Amino acid sequence: GQNIDQPTEMTATEGAIVQINCTYQTSGFNGLFWYQQHAGEAPTFLSYNVLDGLEEKGRFSSFLSRSKGYSYLLLKELQMKDSASYLCAVKGGLTGGGNKLTFGTGTQLKVEL
Amino acid sequence: KAGVTQTPRYLIKTRGQQVTLSCSPISGHRSVSWYQQTPGQGLQFLFEYFSETQRNKGNFPGRFSGRQFSNSRSEMNVSTLELGDSALYLCASSLSADQHGYTFGSGTRLTVV
């Protein structure tokens, strides 16, 4: 089976750094995604990790440790517009390939002044 | 280029009715996946289509079905609607079944009364 855990809510201050953790237990692993979703909108792609280590993309970085079943999303220089839900998703290993993402329930980030 | 288009955006149906939702992927994308998003369960995988064939299916009852046409457009159908089917239904497309890039549509908000 698949199990993905992330905190339900987090609050941070504008200009600060926040780290959103995600732990997973999956039968098969073909990559981990982070998506951002503003209320009432589609999830938008932030990052993809398939190998261990840190991937940096502007103010956003994502880290993966496959042996620990652990990832985090790091957001720097927080802005008010970063207030959103952040979704961790694992692409499972499926016989024959294919796309199936198992999502955590999301972390609602609130950025305050 | 145009994104993933889902129609309709909003829908209200009565218990027992059936509903059909439509998804037009990004031009050239051949893989279409469907997800159900509810506040309590988060995003849950429904099914995935590639080249008109269902490749993967999630743990949903047989009332949920789908198909994909030769132009990669996809539809999903829910029969005998229940109150619990009220959710945001999201469609995601990617170039092929094993590409890691997924683009989501804005979703169809289904309310069952």
Side-chain angles (χ1 to χ4, degrees), chain B residues 86-110:
Chain B
S86 294
L88 180 66
Y89 290 88
L90 291 161
C91 162
S93 78
S94 65
L95 268 174
S96 72
D98 297 313
Q99 284 289 320
H100 60 252
Y102 302 76
T103 303
F104 281 86
S106 296
T108 294
R109 171 76 61 186
L110 172 66

PDB file of all heavy atoms in Angstrom, chain B residues 86-110:
ATOM      1  N   SER B  86     -19.744  14.199  -4.046  1.00  0.00           N
ATOM      2  CA  SER B  86     -19.485  15.638  -4.149  1.00  0.00           C
ATOM      3  C   SER B  86     -18.000  15.877  -3.937  1.00  0.00           C
ATOM      4  O   SER B  86     -17.431  15.505  -2.905  1.00  0.00           O
ATOM      5  CB  SER B  86     -20.285  16.395  -3.082  1.00  0.00           C
ATOM      6  OG  SER B  86     -21.670  16.281  -3.319  1.00  0.00           O
ATOM      7  N   ALA B  87     -17.370  16.494  -4.898  1.00  0.00           N
ATOM      8  CA  ALA B  87     -15.908  16.655  -4.857  1.00  0.00           C
ATOM      9  C   ALA B  87     -15.470  17.517  -6.026  1.00  0.00           C
ATOM     10  O   ALA B  87     -16.254  17.846  -6.916  1.00  0.00           O
ATOM     11  CB  ALA B  87     -15.209  15.297  -4.935  1.00  0.00           C
ATOM     12  N   LEU B  88     -14.176  17.841  -6.003  1.00  0.00           N
ATOM     13  CA  LEU B  88     -13.530  18.456  -7.159  1.00  0.00           C
ATOM     14  C   LEU B  88     -12.879  17.333  -7.949  1.00  0.00           C
ATOM     15  O   LEU B  88     -12.081  16.564  -7.394  1.00  0.00           O
ATOM     16  CB  LEU B  88     -12.486  19.465  -6.698  1.00  0.00           C
ATOM     17  CG  LEU B  88     -11.707  20.198  -7.798  1.00  0.00           C
ATOM     18  CD1 LEU B  88     -12.626  21.111  -8.602  1.00  0.00           C
ATOM     19  CD2 LEU B  88     -10.561  21.002  -7.195  1.00  0.00           C
ATOM     20  N   TYR B  89     -13.216  17.211  -9.202  1.00  0.00           N
ATOM     21  CA  TYR B  89     -12.637  16.173 -10.058  1.00  0.00           C
ATOM     22  C   TYR B  89     -11.598  16.831 -10.964  1.00  0.00           C
ATOM     23  O   TYR B  89     -11.908  17.728 -11.751  1.00  0.00           O
ATOM     24  CB  TYR B  89     -13.726  15.463 -10.864  1.00  0.00           C
ATOM     25  CG  TYR B  89     -14.580  14.605  -9.954  1.00  0.00           C
ATOM     26  CD1 TYR B  89     -15.702  15.134  -9.315  1.00  0.00           C
ATOM     27  CD2 TYR B  89     -14.234  13.281  -9.690  1.00  0.00           C
ATOM     28  CE1 TYR B  89     -16.453  14.370  -8.446  1.00  0.00           C
ATOM     29  CE2 TYR B  89     -14.987  12.507  -8.822  1.00  0.00           C
ATOM     30  CZ  TYR B  89     -16.093  13.057  -8.199  1.00  0.00           C
ATOM     31  OH  TYR B  89     -16.835  12.292  -7.330  1.00  0.00           O
ATOM     32  N   LEU B  90     -10.371  16.355 -10.812  1.00  0.00           N
ATOM     33  CA  LEU B  90      -9.241  16.937 -11.533  1.00  0.00           C
ATOM     34  C   LEU B  90      -8.716  15.964 -12.573  1.00  0.00           C
ATOM     35  O   LEU B  90      -8.638  14.760 -12.346  1.00  0.00           O
ATOM     36  CB  LEU B  90      -8.113  17.273 -10.554  1.00  0.00           C
ATOM     37  CG  LEU B  90      -8.379  18.426  -9.588  1.00  0.00           C
ATOM     38  CD1 LEU B  90      -7.425  18.354  -8.409  1.00  0.00           C
ATOM     39  CD2 LEU B  90      -8.233  19.757 -10.307  1.00  0.00           C
ATOM     40  N   CYS B  91      -8.324  16.528 -13.686  1.00  0.00           N
ATOM     41  CA  CYS B  91      -7.728  15.774 -14.767  1.00  0.00           C
ATOM     42  C   CYS B  91      -6.294  16.263 -14.937  1.00  0.00           C
ATOM     43  O   CYS B  91      -6.024  17.469 -14.792  1.00  0.00           O
ATOM     44  CB  CYS B  91      -8.570  16.019 -16.020  1.00  0.00           C
ATOM     45  SG  CYS B  91      -7.791  15.622 -17.563  1.00  0.00           S
ATOM     46  N   ALA B  92      -5.375  15.343 -15.207  1.00  0.00           N
ATOM     47  CA  ALA B  92      -3.981  15.718 -15.426  1.00  0.00           C
ATOM     48  C   ALA B  92      -3.491  15.052 -16.699  1.00  0.00           C
ATOM     49  O   ALA B  92      -3.815  13.899 -16.966  1.00  0.00           O
ATOM     50  CB  ALA B  92      -3.112  15.282 -14.244  1.00  0.00           C
ATOM     51  N   SER B  93      -2.729  15.781 -17.490  1.00  0.00           N
ATOM     52  CA  SER B  93      -2.212  15.174 -18.718  1.00  0.00           C
ATOM     53  C   SER B  93      -0.696  15.231 -18.742  1.00  0.00           C
ATOM     54  O   SER B  93      -0.061  16.074 -18.084  1.00  0.00           O
ATOM     55  CB  SER B  93      -2.796  15.865 -19.954  1.00  0.00           C
ATOM     56  OG  SER B  93      -2.160  17.104 -20.227  1.00  0.00           O
ATOM     57  N   SER B  94      -0.111  14.297 -19.475  1.00  0.00           N
ATOM     58  CA  SER B  94       1.337  14.301 -19.683  1.00  0.00           C
ATOM     59  C   SER B  94       1.614  13.727 -21.067  1.00  0.00           C
ATOM     60  O   SER B  94       0.753  13.114 -21.694  1.00  0.00           O
ATOM     61  CB  SER B  94       2.061  13.506 -18.603  1.00  0.00           C
ATOM     62  OG  SER B  94       1.714  12.146 -18.670  1.00  0.00           O
ATOM     63  N   LEU B  95       2.865  13.914 -21.521  1.00  0.00           N
ATOM     64  CA  LEU B  95       3.218  13.538 -22.883  1.00  0.00           C
ATOM     65  C   LEU B  95       3.018  12.055 -23.150  1.00  0.00           C
ATOM     66  O   LEU B  95       2.488  11.659 -24.172  1.00  0.00           O
ATOM     67  CB  LEU B  95       4.680  13.904 -23.160  1.00  0.00           C
ATOM     68  CG  LEU B  95       4.919  15.277 -23.775  1.00  0.00           C
ATOM     69  CD1 LEU B  95       6.408  15.554 -23.850  1.00  0.00           C
ATOM     70  CD2 LEU B  95       4.301  15.354 -25.163  1.00  0.00           C
ATOM     71  N   SER B  96       3.503  11.239 -22.213  1.00  0.00           N
ATOM     72  CA  SER B  96       3.358   9.793 -22.384  1.00  0.00           C
ATOM     73  C   SER B  96       3.144   9.190 -21.022  1.00  0.00           C
ATOM     74  O   SER B  96       3.184   9.873 -20.014  1.00  0.00           O
ATOM     75  CB  SER B  96       4.608   9.188 -23.035  1.00  0.00           C
ATOM     76  OG  SER B  96       5.677   9.189 -22.114  1.00  0.00           O
ATOM     77  N   ALA B  97       2.905   7.918 -21.003  1.00  0.00           N
ATOM     78  CA  ALA B  97       2.559   7.274 -19.741  1.00  0.00           C
ATOM     79  C   ALA B  97       3.685   7.322 -18.733  1.00  0.00           C
ATOM     80  O   ALA B  97       3.454   7.229 -17.549  1.00  0.00           O
ATOM     81  CB  ALA B  97       2.170   5.823 -20.002  1.00  0.00           C
ATOM     82  N   ASP B  98       4.918   7.484 -19.177  1.00  0.00           N
ATOM     83  CA  ASP B  98       6.016   7.429 -18.226  1.00  0.00           C
ATOM     84  C   ASP B  98       6.752   8.747 -18.059  1.00  0.00           C
ATOM     85  O   ASP B  98       7.756   8.805 -17.388  1.00  0.00           O
ATOM     86  CB  ASP B  98       7.012   6.336 -18.651  1.00  0.00           C
ATOM     87  CG  ASP B  98       6.350   4.982 -18.632  1.00  0.00           C
ATOM     88  OD1 ASP B  98       5.669   4.680 -17.640  1.00  0.00           O
ATOM     89  OD2 ASP B  98       6.490   4.244 -19.622  1.00  0.00           O
ATOM     90  N   GLN B  99       6.250   9.798 -18.658  1.00  0.00           N
ATOM     91  CA  GLN B  99       6.855  11.110 -18.469  1.00  0.00           C
ATOM     92  C   GLN B  99       6.533  11.611 -17.067  1.00  0.00           C
ATOM     93  O   GLN B  99       5.467  11.358 -16.530  1.00  0.00           O
ATOM     94  CB  GLN B  99       6.291  12.106 -19.487  1.00  0.00           C
ATOM     95  CG  GLN B  99       6.856  11.932 -20.869  1.00  0.00           C
ATOM     96  CD  GLN B  99       8.299  12.369 -20.954  1.00  0.00           C
ATOM     97  OE1 GLN B  99       8.670  13.368 -20.375  1.00  0.00           O
ATOM     98  NE2 GLN B  99       9.107  11.613 -21.659  1.00  0.00           N
ATOM     99  N   HIS B 100       7.444  12.320 -16.454  1.00  0.00           N
ATOM    100  CA  HIS B 100       7.179  12.759 -15.099  1.00  0.00           C
ATOM    101  C   HIS B 100       6.467  14.086 -15.010  1.00  0.00           C
ATOM    102  O   HIS B 100       6.084  14.509 -13.940  1.00  0.00           O
ATOM    103  CB  HIS B 100       8.477  12.805 -14.286  1.00  0.00           C
ATOM    104  CG  HIS B 100       9.505  13.738 -14.838  1.00  0.00           C
ATOM    105  ND1 HIS B 100      10.643  13.289 -15.446  1.00  0.00           N
ATOM    106  CD2 HIS B 100       9.575  15.076 -14.877  1.00  0.00           C
ATOM    107  CE1 HIS B 100      11.368  14.329 -15.832  1.00  0.00           C
ATOM    108  NE2 HIS B 100      10.735  15.420 -15.496  1.00  0.00           N
ATOM    109  N   GLY B 101       6.256  14.741 -16.103  1.00  0.00           N
ATOM    110  CA  GLY B 101       5.598  16.044 -16.036  1.00  0.00           C
ATOM    111  C   GLY B 101       4.097  15.926 -16.155  1.00  0.00           C
ATOM    112  O   GLY B 101       3.575  15.363 -17.103  1.00  0.00           O
ATOM    113  N   TYR B 102       3.372  16.412 -15.171  1.00  0.00           N
ATOM    114  CA  TYR B 102       1.919  16.366 -15.168  1.00  0.00           C
ATOM    115  C   TYR B 102       1.390  17.785 -15.103  1.00  0.00           C
ATOM    116  O   TYR B 102       1.855  18.589 -14.307  1.00  0.00           O
ATOM    117  CB  TYR B 102       1.393  15.633 -13.927  1.00  0.00           C
ATOM    118  CG  TYR B 102       1.879  14.213 -13.767  1.00  0.00           C
ATOM    119  CD1 TYR B 102       3.162  13.950 -13.331  1.00  0.00           C
ATOM    120  CD2 TYR B 102       1.043  13.142 -14.032  1.00  0.00           C
ATOM    121  CE1 TYR B 102       3.618  12.663 -13.170  1.00  0.00           C
ATOM    122  CE2 TYR B 102       1.479  11.843 -13.860  1.00  0.00           C
ATOM    123  CZ  TYR B 102       2.765  11.616 -13.432  1.00  0.00           C
ATOM    124  OH  TYR B 102       3.210  10.336 -13.268  1.00  0.00           O
ATOM    125  N   THR B 103       0.399  18.077 -15.913  1.00  0.00           N
ATOM    126  CA  THR B 103      -0.272  19.363 -15.849  1.00  0.00           C
ATOM    127  C   THR B 103      -1.730  19.118 -15.518  1.00  0.00           C
ATOM    128  O   THR B 103      -2.405  18.331 -16.188  1.00  0.00           O
ATOM    129  CB  THR B 103      -0.165  20.111 -17.190  1.00  0.00           C
ATOM    130  OG1 THR B 103       1.212  20.266 -17.532  1.00  0.00           O
ATOM    131  CG2 THR B 103      -0.813  21.476 -17.094  1.00  0.00           C
ATOM    132  N   PHE B 104      -2.200  19.800 -14.486  1.00  0.00           N
ATOM    133  CA  PHE B 104      -3.587  19.623 -14.058  1.00  0.00           C
ATOM    134  C   PHE B 104      -4.496  20.668 -14.677  1.00  0.00           C
ATOM    135  O   PHE B 104      -4.088  21.819 -14.906  1.00  0.00           O
ATOM    136  CB  PHE B 104      -3.693  19.752 -12.538  1.00  0.00           C
ATOM    137  CG  PHE B 104      -3.276  18.519 -11.790  1.00  0.00           C
ATOM    138  CD1 PHE B 104      -1.949  18.304 -11.459  1.00  0.00           C
ATOM    139  CD2 PHE B 104      -4.216  17.571 -11.420  1.00  0.00           C
ATOM    140  CE1 PHE B 104      -1.569  17.162 -10.773  1.00  0.00           C
ATOM    141  CE2 PHE B 104      -3.843  16.429 -10.719  1.00  0.00           C
ATOM    142  CZ  PHE B 104      -2.522  16.229 -10.403  1.00  0.00           C
ATOM    143  N   GLY B 105      -5.729  20.267 -14.906  1.00  0.00           N
ATOM    144  CA  GLY B 105      -6.767  21.210 -15.265  1.00  0.00           C
ATOM    145  C   GLY B 105      -7.327  21.853 -14.007  1.00  0.00           C
ATOM    146  O   GLY B 105      -6.963  21.483 -12.885  1.00  0.00           O
ATOM    147  N   SER B 106      -8.223  22.816 -14.201  1.00  0.00           N
ATOM    148  CA  SER B 106      -8.797  23.538 -13.055  1.00  0.00           C
ATOM    149  C   SER B 106      -9.888  22.754 -12.347  1.00  0.00           C
ATOM    150  O   SER B 106     -10.330  23.142 -11.266  1.00  0.00           O
ATOM    151  CB  SER B 106      -9.368  24.888 -13.499  1.00  0.00           C
ATOM    152  OG  SER B 106      -8.329  25.708 -13.987  1.00  0.00           O
ATOM    153  N   GLY B 107     -10.322  21.659 -12.961  1.00  0.00           N
ATOM    154  CA  GLY B 107     -11.250  20.783 -12.285  1.00  0.00           C
ATOM    155  C   GLY B 107     -12.715  21.070 -12.553  1.00  0.00           C
ATOM    156  O   GLY B 107     -13.087  22.136 -13.046  1.00  0.00           O
ATOM    157  N   THR B 108     -13.517  20.092 -12.232  1.00  0.00           N
ATOM    158  CA  THR B 108     -14.981  20.232 -12.250  1.00  0.00           C
ATOM    159  C   THR B 108     -15.460  20.055 -10.822  1.00  0.00           C
ATOM    160  O   THR B 108     -15.178  19.034 -10.192  1.00  0.00           O
ATOM    161  CB  THR B 108     -15.642  19.180 -13.155  1.00  0.00           C
ATOM    162  OG1 THR B 108     -15.278  19.415 -14.511  1.00  0.00           O
ATOM    163  CG2 THR B 108     -17.167  19.241 -13.014  1.00  0.00           C
ATOM    164  N   ARG B 109     -16.161  21.055 -10.327  1.00  0.00           N
ATOM    165  CA  ARG B 109     -16.705  20.980  -8.963  1.00  0.00           C
ATOM    166  C   ARG B 109     -18.104  20.376  -9.050  1.00  0.00           C
ATOM    167  O   ARG B 109     -19.027  20.995  -9.570  1.00  0.00           O
ATOM    168  CB  ARG B 109     -16.782  22.376  -8.347  1.00  0.00           C
ATOM    169  CG  ARG B 109     -17.523  22.449  -7.026  1.00  0.00           C
ATOM    170  CD  ARG B 109     -16.717  21.916  -5.878  1.00  0.00           C
ATOM    171  NE  ARG B 109     -15.478  22.648  -5.654  1.00  0.00           N
ATOM    172  CZ  ARG B 109     -14.554  22.285  -4.762  1.00  0.00           C
ATOM    173  NH1 ARG B 109     -14.723  21.207  -4.031  1.00  0.00           N
ATOM    174  NH2 ARG B 109     -13.460  23.001  -4.607  1.00  0.00           N
ATOM    175  N   LEU B 110     -18.242  19.138  -8.575  1.00  0.00           N
ATOM    176  CA  LEU B 110     -19.515  18.430  -8.607  1.00  0.00           C
ATOM    177  C   LEU B 110     -20.160  18.478  -7.229  1.00  0.00           C
ATOM    178  O   LEU B 110     -19.535  18.123  -6.229  1.00  0.00           O
ATOM    179  CB  LEU B 110     -19.312  16.972  -9.027  1.00  0.00           C
ATOM    180  CG  LEU B 110     -20.538  16.056  -8.917  1.00  0.00           C
ATOM    181  CD1 LEU B 110     -21.623  16.491  -9.899  1.00  0.00           C
ATOM    182  CD2 LEU B 110     -20.149  14.602  -9.172  1.00  0.00           C
TER     183      LEU B 110
END
